[in-house]
Amino acid sequence: MSPVQYAATLPDKWGEHVSKLPRNKLYLSGKCILYVWNEPSGSMQGTRNKMDILYKAGARLMTEYDPERVTHIVASLDTQKNVLQMCGIRKVTELPVHIKTVTWEWIVHQIQGINHTEIYYEPFISRMKQVSQAAKGEAAKDDASSSAKPSYLETSARKREETDDEGSPKKKAKHGPGFQPLQPPSLDASSSSNFDPLAEFYEQAKLMDEFEVEEDEEKPQAVTPSEASEGSKTRWQCDGAPVNSGACPNQDIVDKLLELREIHSARQGSDDMWRTFSYRKSIANIKAFPKRIESYSDARSIKGVGDKTALKIMEIVQTGELERLKHARTDDIVVAQLFQGIYGVGPATAFSWYSQGLRTLEDVKNGKNGVSLSLVQEIGLKFYDDINDRMPRSEAAEIFCKIRQIALTIDAKLYMEIMGSFRRGKATCGDIDILLTRPTDDGKTHHDVMRVLLRRLHEEEILTYDLATPDDLDDLEATYRGLCQVDTAPGRRQRRIDILSVPYGSLGGALLYYTFNRSMRLKASHMGYSLNQRGLYKGVVRDPRDRNKKLSPGTLMDGLSEKEIFDILGVPWQEPHQRVRS
DNA sequence: AGGCCGTACTG
DNA sequence: CAGTAC
DNA sequence: GCCT
């Protein structure tokens, strides 16, 4: 059955189901979506799954191009030529600007209630400029008063992000009726594989872990009014912010515990290390707890919250304060936290400096008492504020697109993916995290790409400082860490960037690894496998006396797709609704 | 009582 | 090797 | 710190 034929069966299959859904679950209602699938059809199942998802979210699924009706085209870099073919055009720039082209990720974010403007999901570089200019024009129209800053996404796109998405009258669906923890974004490739098992995994993970959610490394984004209120009409509520940030009924508790966690993580010693680890987990679960915690047993019912933390929570609930916090924030801790804001400085260095009498960043800069900095720490100190700042989503998008553009001139078959908080739909990003690989079906690899790319990016002055360069630049697996800037204008902020390449056979493993490191790895290890960024290893033998010690590393099962890894680990890759399928 | 993720780069 | 970052 |  062709995709078109399949689409025709959807009303029979899901029509009734959809008609029963409450309005706020029809995340895509009013959208006329043309879904462009991948031709190799190796993953027809993927196409069907996605069509199901689109239909069930209330979208109008188009099977042919009608410029009068289509509002969105879901595509990827890989499907560009299919787009041209389906639309009967020769270049994507011929598409009218009112039709949005987006990656599948946009769909996922819509369903999660994350409402970033479509520009951020533009799969085609050649279309970016015209689309963003069109958006800028629109923005200028309803915002004539603001003195526009020049940079192209900064003003227009970001403003749109902060106000609202046009054409989506629906308010973001917060927690639905009853408890529904924030569903983490899926990781479908915006520019490659056509199938997305990760969304399904999340469903499964929710069932397995119940309240236990993935920890979120992000520091809370303090959305203070002062930060955004310059310009009277700006709303400081970030519409694109994650669904759970504003609505958490236990935010005060979370904040206090976070402070405590920060204190422990600033101290040296393995005890504090594990306490930090523990807090991270309990805090993540508290964030996801759907109602106000009122009693000790409420608190204890949350996974990762034990006796001690429950008592602390009750103290916060009853007094609004945590006595321990005042007591704990001693001078050495405060200074150590300050020092550890320097990239490359951890607890050991910070306390060593403190014990040598250093107290301020000035002291450090002046090399007081003969302290010296490593090269990395010099950079970390010089750009202390920049590195600890978060960048607007638009800036991450812009930098990534520039880099992708350059990379594709090196090798047009490269696969690039932006990971991290950008991919998770955050409104601001702490860094830019780029995954790089290349299919090997033509016998070539990306073995020399990292070297050339880094050189080019330095030449273009996009990369400015190296923090860590791979030992072997020709290795298919290599990690680069550094600083970058969106343009060379003086005073541009320096942003943290990581570029990591993986062998193509490890793509599936890498995507999983960087998304679900904890639960997935845990399950793998329980089943006698081991999952790392290279992929899945089988036949791992662990010392029964010390599960950490591997007697045998096992052998790499190379080239597994994500689906195969799911299968092996016994994680059903189908969403509940798809199992209903006969 | 002992595990809690594992890996790579820097100096 | 310890320290650091992810 | 929590969990087994």
Side-chain angles (χ1 to χ4, degrees):
Chain A
M1 196 192 319
S2 77
V4 174
Q5 289 168 323
Y6 182 76
T9 69
L10 290 175
D12 279 346
K13 212 162 132 188
W14 299 115
E16 196 180 346
H17 173 90
V18 170
S19 65
K20 284 190 203 148
L21 285 176
R23 265 194 79 72
N24 68 349
K25 291 222 157 190
L26 297 174
Y27 307 99
L28 298 174
S29 76
K31 313 276 198 259
C32 284
I33 296 179
L34 180 67
Y35 177 71
V36 180
W37 57 86
N38 227 351
E39 57 172 81
S41 83
S43 55
M44 178 54 198
Q45 186 61 54
T47 299
R48 293 184 183 188
N49 288 338
K50 289 188 173 165
M51 285 183 161
D52 283 357
I53 291 170
L54 290 170
Y55 187 83
K56 288 171 64 178
R60 186 170 196 116
L61 198 54
M62 309 293 286
T63 51
E64 59 183 30
Y65 177 61
D66 176 353
E68 300 293 312
R69 298 171 63 202
V70 170
T71 60
H72 293 77
I73 298 177
V74 176
S76 72
L77 223 47
D78 278 4
T79 56
Q80 179 159 358
K81 57 178 181 298
N82 308 43
V83 173
L84 302 182
Q85 192 182 344
M86 287 190 78
C87 300
I89 54 179
R90 296 167 61 177
K91 291 188 299 192
V92 289
T93 48
E94 292 172 24
L95 288 169
V97 287
H98 74 267
I99 297 181
K100 321 279 190 189
T101 40
V102 292
T103 60
W104 177 256
E105 192 179 16
W106 179 78
I107 302 290
V108 174
H109 282 182
Q110 286 301 115
I111 290 174
Q112 290 172 205
I114 295 173
N115 276 326
H116 295 304
T117 166
E118 286 96 336
I119 299 171
Y120 297 149
Y121 305 89
E122 173 62 60
F124 307 122
I125 296 162
S126 53
R127 237 196 141 209
M128 280 197 70
K129 199 165 185 178
Q130 68 181 115
V131 165
S132 61
Q133 273 170 1
K136 190 189 284 186
E138 252 179 80
K141 199 167 49 187
D142 54 44
D143 187 60
S145 63
S146 86
S147 59
K149 296 171 202 156
S151 107
Y152 88 98
L153 279 169
E154 182 90 45
T155 337
S156 57
R158 193 185 174 197
K159 176 137 292 158
R160 303 181 60 70
E161 171 193 3
E162 278 168 0
T163 53
D164 202 347
D165 249 356
E166 95 289 13
S168 54
K170 70 174 163 26
K171 279 296 111 191
K172 45 183 172 182
K174 299 249 173 193
H175 307 288
F179 167 54
Q180 194 144 37
L182 173 66
Q183 190 179 341
S186 100
L187 244 201
D188 182 40
S190 63
S191 53
S192 127
S193 103
N194 210 24
F195 185 70
D196 175 18
L198 300 183
E200 286 84 339
F201 176 72
Y202 272 121
E203 289 301 322
Q204 201 56 33
K206 269 198 303 197
L207 295 179
M208 291 189 332
D209 290 354
E210 296 188 311
F211 280 175
E212 193 169 20
V213 300
E214 285 302 313
E215 64 267 32
D216 194 339
E217 324 265 320
E218 311 299 322
K219 300 227 167 69
Q221 315 168 20
V223 190
T224 57
S226 66
E227 181 175 282
S229 59
E230 61 210 359
S232 50
K233 55 185 270 190
T234 322
R235 272 164 259 175
W236 58 78
Q237 169 56 305
C238 281
D239 279 350
V243 207
N244 63 351
S245 70
C248 175
N250 298 297
Q251 191 59 45
D252 55 332
I253 296 170
V254 168
D255 289 342
K256 290 274 189 295
L257 293 180
L258 263 174
E259 287 185 56
L260 205 48
R261 181 175 101 87
E262 291 307 309
I263 287 169
H264 283 297
S265 79
R267 301 177 14 160
Q268 48 182 348
S270 50
D271 283 353
D272 286 292
M273 202 184 120
W274 291 118
R275 254 185 286 256
T276 306
F277 182 87
S278 179
Y279 273 117
R280 182 204 277 188
K281 188 160 148 183
S282 57
I283 289 171
N285 289 324
I286 293 168
K287 261 194 211 165
F289 195 67
K291 63 182 191 56
R292 179 69 185 170
I293 300 172
E294 282 165 355
S295 65
Y296 177 86
S297 59
D298 273 358
R300 285 303 305 268
S301 76
I302 300 171
K303 204 167 283 190
V305 175
D307 179 58
K308 302 269 202 57
T309 306
L311 288 175
K312 291 187 179 77
I313 290 176
M314 290 322 290
E315 185 189 337
I316 297 170
V317 168
Q318 284 159 8
T319 72
E321 295 295 328
L322 192 53
E323 195 59 31
R324 170 84 176 273
L325 262 181
K326 304 172 188 164
H327 181 258
R329 212 189 326 253
T330 51
D331 185 52
D332 58 333
I333 296 293
V334 174
V335 174
Q337 285 179 326
L338 175 74
F339 289 167
Q340 285 175 67
I342 301 172
Y343 187 96
V345 174
T349 312
F351 280 101
S352 149
W353 287 349
Y354 184 86
S355 68
Q356 294 177 62
L358 281 71
R359 294 294 182 270
T360 66
L361 293 180
E362 268 309 296
D363 291 344
V364 177
K365 191 184 297 179
N366 298 334
K368 183 174 174 180
N369 296 338
V371 301
S372 63
L373 304 189
S374 71
L375 289 174
V376 164
Q377 291 164 345
E378 290 280 6
I379 299 169
L381 177 59
K382 186 168 180 183
F383 300 106
Y384 189 96
D385 291 333
D386 283 0
I387 292 177
N388 289 308
D389 188 32
R390 301 177 67 85
M391 76 193 93
R393 188 180 168 79
S394 56
E395 190 171 326
E398 191 176 349
I399 293 173
F400 173 64
C401 287
K402 284 188 173 186
I403 292 177
R404 178 168 62 176
Q405 202 161 14
I406 290 172
L408 290 177
T409 67
I410 298 171
D411 183 340
K413 287 199 69 174
L414 288 179
Y415 168 102
M416 299 184 75
E417 195 64 65
I418 180 164
M419 322 273 288
S421 47
F422 183 95
R423 173 148 222 105
R424 289 195 297 256
K426 302 273 182 179
T428 64
C429 306
D431 64 357
I432 299 172
D433 207 348
I434 297 174
L435 182 72
L436 171 68
T437 188
R438 183 194 191 283
T440 52
D441 46 8
D442 58 0
K444 296 179 187 164
T445 70
H446 57 277
H447 71 88
D448 57 345
V449 169
M450 187 66 100
R451 177 189 303 282
V452 180
L453 180 61
L454 293 182
R455 184 167 50 75
R456 289 286 310 278
L457 292 177
H458 275 296
E459 284 168 3
E460 303 283 339
E461 295 185 78
I462 291 174
L463 285 183
T464 50
Y465 296 89
D466 300 332
L467 296 170
T469 48
D471 277 345
D472 181 3
L473 278 170
D474 292 327
D475 199 332
L476 290 184
E477 182 193 333
T479 308
Y480 170 86
R481 303 185 199 290
L483 298 184
C484 65
Q485 58 189 5
V486 69
D487 65 44
T488 57
R492 283 318 287 204
R493 308 211 86 172
Q494 302 292 315
R495 307 299 192 186
R496 276 281 296 109
I497 183 168
D498 293 342
I499 303 174
L500 61 106
S501 69
V502 298
Y504 195 67
S506 294
L507 177 57
L511 288 170
L512 287 178
Y513 180 83
Y514 290 107
T515 329
F516 306 102
N517 48 25
R518 196 184 55 78
S519 51
M520 201 77 173
R521 239 181 299 178
L522 217 60
K523 176 152 195 190
S525 120
H526 273 225
M527 295 176 61
Y529 293 92
S530 145
L531 179 66
N532 65 19
Q533 62 267 54
R534 279 184 278 277
L536 192 64
Y537 289 73
K538 68 172 174 185
V540 179
V541 185
R542 290 184 157 82
D543 185 343
R545 299 156 55 86
D546 181 1
R547 267 183 49 83
N548 278 344
K549 263 209 162 64
K550 281 187 210 155
L551 298 179
S552 155
T555 53
L556 175 61
M557 307 169 72
D558 193 36
L560 294 180
S561 69
E562 290 162 289
K563 167 172 169 33
E564 288 165 322
I565 296 178
F566 275 79
D567 285 349
I568 291 165
L569 294 180
V571 180
W573 79 326
Q574 288 194 329
E575 251 181 337
H577 74 262
Q578 286 158 341
R579 289 184 217 128
V580 183
R581 196 168 50 90
S582 57

